[in-house]
Amino acid sequence: MGSPWFTRSDEHNQKNQDHPNNSSNTAEVGMAAETKDIYRKSSWDPWQEWTDEEIGVDGASSQASAKYALIVRREKDHGEIDESVLSLHSITVQSPLLKKILGPVFKGYKGINTNLKKLEFHAPFREFFYRWDEFKQADPRNDSHDSSEECSHYELLADIIHAEIKPRIEQASDLLNNGVISFDYVWTLFEPDVEVYTKIEGRDRLFKLSTGNYSKTPDGTVAYVLNVRFIDTDGDTFGYTETSLTILPFENVLPILELDVIPARLCPDFDQVRERLVQRGRLFESLQGINHKAYSGMYSLSHTASGIPKQRHVTNERIIIDCRTFLWFNRGTTGPLHPLEASKSFVFRGNEQCNDNSIDSIAHGPLPTKPHATRILSNGSKSSRFCLKTKEWGLFDIELVQDVVWNSTAFDQLVLPHDYKRIIQAFVGAQMSGLDNFDDVIKGKGRGIIMLLSGEPGTGKTLTAESVAEIMQRPLYNMSAAELGDVAQEVEQKLDCALELSTRWGAVLLLDECDVFLERRTTSDIKRNKLVSIFLRLLEYFEGVMFLTTNRVSAFDPAFESRLHLTIHYPNLDYTSRLHIWKTFMNIDSNRSSLSADELDELAGVELNGRQIKNVVKTARLLATHERTQLAMSHISTVLRIKKGLAGWPS
């Protein structure tokens, strides 16, 4: 006889004295309406069968086992006080009759294929819990036309599963009927592939559940972890990406609706929630590709030096939505994107398999695959964007994205001779529209438009580039020489990035105060010579529109002069120009200004540049707002009097 803890659990095994060499090997697989019980003492021991005659036969590989409808595995439960207790480990369904019955029961259930030669179910048999009603309805004993053989096979499985599942069903029903749940029964709420609902950063979110399990968190706490998926994009295609949600342990019971994650079907006002999410999904889909938008609100930085997530707030700032380029610059921050259709092989986000380090290598890709209308509600609430002001990649709330409101009058208000405006507009317009096909002898070389704007501070150089971008309705990529740095490798990397992004986005590129790159090279300053050489080389193959501004350059490098298409010098503002600027800033909010024409004439006589005039008006408006009065000459006089170095203004 065997060890005392081995026990028989099924009356159907009373006649089970089979040995691998018995003549029953010829029986048809799975057609014997009996179970074959095999056991093991621990998880590292082999499965063994137990008979009256011998112990130790490998029950899993025994040919005689093939005839049984079910193979039932039990193992010693070392967690019990009585360690002779055997707990049910798994069931292998070999009966073709049972597989036929179970097919409709588990139709659409992720991870179960009833056509397998050996169909296995493992304790605690949650799949039967989730499909208990379907399993009961599939009972062939409900139909008098079914054969007694099918009934006997079904009864074998039903008796075992009923003993395991029925207590859980009764306990779960009691909890659910009272609208509460205990932590150890949280799993009963979440059948694989159902929609689950949660809030992330105050936004409604829906996910598709892949799996749910009790797992240890990094701090050692056992939590219920839901592995979920939602629809995302790599800039070219839509597909599923994965994340996880966590329900932390709690004592006693908790109202189901107070859980951090709940089945979507239990969400109050779900129809309204679903409609909002569908609208968000359509918005998410509409932002596919490259989009220039405005944004007000918080956004999360994709990378920080410390590795600690940070957020910034911006108000009406311009952003570029370009998921493809985001993934190129932030490779490794996201996982693979899986296809929406199971028949397709998965693709990598951001072309992570590509070895080419050029952004040009991601400029083309497969045609977008749009999500089905019923799936768009699964899209995320955030999208990958680039903030043109801070020059940072981040995740932005798509519901705070707005269309850009262009300033169509900015170029008209620019203080510049009319002929200058005509030629600037012609240059930029032809380049942006692609009408200028003029090329160098070497193809792809010298196809950009580079304009140099020189003059004293506050004469309108930067405003020229800004107003051109507005009238052409293009993004403005503004970068100063200080941002490029003074280390050759760093300058090359940052400038190359700015040039490529500007070209990809069709942006107007403004390099402000770039005097250090323009001056003639000398034999005594090797470091600056290297910077100038890098600058010249990269400009040679730039294909967009670039404005360079400088306050003063004593002597241009000849090689640089040959690369300029247009040079405009901005003289210091005269009386007429200053009067125009004063009127422009006063008309921005005419309802709050009471200045007369004579007072404006008087102000135009003070030698200020355009930036100084703007700052005076802004400060005076703040003073008037504080005093809750209209902007008047007295406010401007006060601001001017406290400014130093304004000769000619009466005290």
Side-chain angles (χ1 to χ4, degrees):
M1 296 294 291
S3 300
W5 58 267
F6 283 113
T7 60
R8 300 190 189 195
S9 61
D10 196 323
E11 63 182 1
H12 295 285
N13 288 334
Q14 292 179 1
K15 298 180 180 180
N16 182 12
Q17 304 291 333
D18 297 288
H19 186 275
N21 296 324
N22 286 357
S23 60
S24 58
N25 294 344
T26 58
E28 189 174 351
V29 174
M31 290 306 295
E34 302 175 57
T35 63
K36 176 75 169 182
D37 283 50
I38 55 178
Y39 312 87
R40 68 182 181 187
K41 293 183 179 181
S42 63
S43 59
W44 54 84
D45 287 329
W47 292 106
Q48 298 176 331
E49 68 172 308
W50 173 61
T51 69
D52 289 336
E53 286 78 18
E54 61 180 315
I55 301 172
V57 178
D58 185 353
S61 62
S62 174
Q63 294 181 6
S65 300
K67 71 175 185 178
Y68 295 100
L70 301 176
I71 302 294
V72 180
R73 296 176 178 84
R74 302 178 188 274
E75 64 181 353
K76 195 173 183 180
D77 192 340
H78 295 277
E80 295 288 338
I81 297 177
D82 180 4
E83 292 198 352
S84 67
V85 173
L86 290 173
S87 61
L88 188 57
H89 173 274
S90 60
I91 299 172
T92 298
V93 177
Q94 299 187 133
S95 166
L97 300 178
L98 272 177
K99 292 177 185 178
K100 182 179 178 181
I101 293 171
L102 294 177
V105 173
F106 293 108
K107 183 179 181 181
Y109 193 99
K110 188 176 181 180
I112 295 181
N113 186 334
T114 56
N115 295 320
L116 293 175
K117 183 178 180 181
K118 290 188 176 181
L119 176 62
E120 285 196 7
F121 297 96
H122 291 260
F125 306 103
R126 290 177 180 173
E127 51 274 274
F128 282 95
F129 176 90
Y130 297 129
R131 298 293 176 93
W132 185 248
D133 289 339
E134 291 85 346
F135 182 62
K136 289 194 300 181
Q137 291 171 7
D139 189 345
R141 294 172 295 185
N142 299 331
D143 190 342
S144 59
H145 297 292
D146 283 321
S147 68
S148 59
E149 195 171 22
E150 284 184 328
C151 294
S152 59
H153 282 225
Y154 179 89
E155 186 175 359
L156 279 177
L157 179 61
D159 288 348
I160 298 172
I161 295 299
H162 187 276
E164 292 289 321
I165 295 298
K166 190 62 176 177
R168 293 187 176 93
I169 291 176
E170 292 174 351
Q171 177 66 19
S173 297
D174 183 37
L175 291 167
L176 295 176
N177 289 338
N178 287 281
V180 297
I181 199 71
S182 61
F183 181 67
D184 56 339
Y185 270 78
V186 161
W187 66 270
T188 63
L189 298 173
F190 299 103
E191 179 180 345
D193 229 33
V194 299
E195 289 179 349
V196 298
Y197 168 84
T198 188
K199 277 183 176 284
I200 297 179
E201 296 181 1
R203 298 289 189 185
D204 297 320
R205 292 294 304 275
L206 279 186
F207 297 90
K208 277 279 191 178
L209 177 64
S210 296
T211 60
N213 291 289
Y214 291 96
S215 303
K216 278 191 176 181
T217 60
D219 63 0
T221 303
V222 175
Y224 191 71
V225 179
L226 299 98
N227 298 308
V228 296
R229 61 192 187 276
F230 63 98
I231 294 177
D232 206 347
T233 181
D234 61 4
D236 290 319
T237 60
F238 289 94
Y240 284 117
T241 189
E242 298 173 346
T243 187
S244 62
L245 306 172
T246 302
I247 298 177
L248 296 175
F250 53 89
E251 295 182 355
N252 300 320
V253 295
L254 192 70
I256 294 173
L257 296 183
E258 291 185 16
L259 294 174
D260 292 333
V261 187
I262 62 173
R265 68 180 186 277
L266 301 181
C267 177
D269 303 320
F270 181 63
D271 289 341
Q272 291 86 342
V273 171
R274 189 180 188 90
E275 181 58 31
R276 288 199 302 271
L277 294 178
V278 167
Q279 294 301 322
R280 182 199 293 164
R282 288 174 179 155
L283 174 61
F284 184 90
E285 183 181 343
S286 71
L287 296 175
Q288 174 81 336
I290 299 174
N291 294 272
H292 182 205
K293 296 289 184 179
Y295 185 86
S296 296
M298 300 293 295
Y299 70 93
S300 304
L301 299 182
S302 60
H303 274 310
T304 59
S306 63
I308 301 174
K310 289 185 179 180
Q311 290 189 323
R312 297 198 195 282
H313 185 276
V314 293
T315 302
N316 197 30
E317 292 297 341
R318 306 288 176 85
I319 61 173
I320 298 291
I321 302 173
D322 184 0
C323 184
R324 200 165 201 244
T325 306
F326 169 85
L327 292 171
W328 182 258
F329 280 96
N330 297 274
R331 281 177 289 178
T333 59
T334 55
L337 196 65
H338 299 275
L340 298 178
E341 302 300 332
S343 60
K344 299 179 182 178
S345 60
F346 76 91
V347 295
F348 283 100
R349 300 184 60 168
N351 286 353
E352 292 180 2
Q353 290 180 314
C354 183
N355 294 321
D356 187 352
N357 291 324
S358 168
I359 295 179
D360 290 338
S361 67
I362 62 169
H364 304 285
L367 292 174
T369 301
K370 294 186 178 181
H372 189 271
T374 58
R375 290 174 172 165
I376 59 178
L377 57 89
S378 298
N379 290 133
S381 61
K382 293 186 179 291
S383 185
S384 312
R385 292 109 194 258
F386 182 84
C387 181
L388 288 167
K389 179 181 180 180
T390 62
K391 299 177 186 64
E392 294 172 324
W393 289 101
L395 297 175
F396 293 71
D397 190 329
I398 62 174
E399 295 187 48
L400 300 180
V401 172
Q402 300 174 332
D403 290 332
V404 173
V405 178
W406 301 100
N407 185 349
S408 58
T409 63
F411 195 72
D412 295 332
Q413 295 169 353
L414 185 64
V415 179
L416 201 64
H418 179 65
D419 287 344
Y420 280 38
K421 289 184 178 181
R422 284 179 57 204
I423 195 167
I424 290 173
Q425 198 167 358
F427 265 55
V428 176
Q431 184 72 11
M432 290 296 188
S433 63
L435 296 177
D436 182 15
N437 295 319
F438 185 81
D439 207 346
D440 198 278
V441 175
I442 304 300
K443 188 171 180 61
K445 184 178 178 182
R447 297 188 63 178
I449 294 294
I450 302 174
M451 288 174 275
L452 176 65
L453 313 179
S454 66
E456 294 297 319
T459 53
K461 303 183 299 298
T462 302
L463 180 60
T464 298
E466 293 171 341
S467 60
V468 165
E470 289 295 311
I471 196 172
M472 300 305 300
Q473 298 191 358
R474 296 290 181 135
L476 176 68
Y477 195 108
N478 188 344
M479 199 168 197
S480 68
E483 291 178 84
L484 292 175
D486 58 2
V487 178
Q489 185 177 2
E490 182 182 3
V491 169
E492 182 171 12
Q493 181 182 9
K494 290 183 177 180
L495 182 58
D496 186 48
C497 176
L499 295 176
E500 291 207 57
L501 289 178
S502 298
T503 302
R504 174 169 171 79
W505 296 336
V508 174
L509 177 59
L510 170 62
L511 292 181
D512 226 352
E513 300 176 348
C514 56
D515 307 58
V516 67
F517 299 111
L518 307 182
E519 289 187 5
R520 184 189 302 272
R521 285 167 285 187
T522 64
T523 57
S524 60
D525 194 344
I526 298 176
K527 180 179 179 180
R528 195 177 64 79
N529 291 350
K530 191 173 183 180
L531 296 180
V532 174
S533 298
I534 291 171
F535 194 73
L536 291 170
R537 174 170 53 82
L538 292 177
L539 292 190
E540 196 74 53
Y541 291 91
F542 178 58
E543 297 186 7
V545 173
M546 179 188 299
F547 285 94
L548 304 172
T549 72
T550 175
N551 294 332
R552 58 185 67 84
V553 176
S554 56
F556 284 112
D557 191 288
F560 184 80
E561 284 189 279
S562 66
R563 286 166 171 80
L564 292 176
H565 297 86
L566 181 65
T567 301
I568 299 177
H569 177 71
Y570 288 69
N572 290 336
L573 299 178
D574 57 15
Y575 169 85
T576 303
S577 299
R578 289 194 296 270
L579 179 60
H580 177 81
I581 294 173
W582 277 107
K583 288 181 178 179
T584 297
F585 285 120
M586 290 300 174
N587 289 333
I588 290 177
D589 192 358
S590 58
N591 293 331
R592 295 171 57 194
S593 173
S594 61
L595 269 69
S596 65
D598 290 340
E599 289 171 329
L600 288 173
D601 285 340
E602 185 179 356
L603 290 172
V606 182
E607 292 190 2
L608 300 173
N609 64 41
R611 188 172 291 111
Q612 289 172 327
I613 293 174
K614 182 186 74 172
N615 291 337
V616 168
V617 174
K618 181 177 180 179
T619 306
R621 285 192 185 281
L622 291 174
L623 180 59
T625 300
H626 176 72
E627 296 177 353
R628 298 183 180 180
T629 62
Q630 271 192 326
L631 176 63
M633 186 65 172
S634 60
H635 299 113
I636 295 178
S637 299
T638 300
V639 174
L640 290 174
R641 277 199 301 269
I642 63 176
K643 281 184 170 291
K644 296 180 180 180
L646 296 177
W649 184 255
S651 60

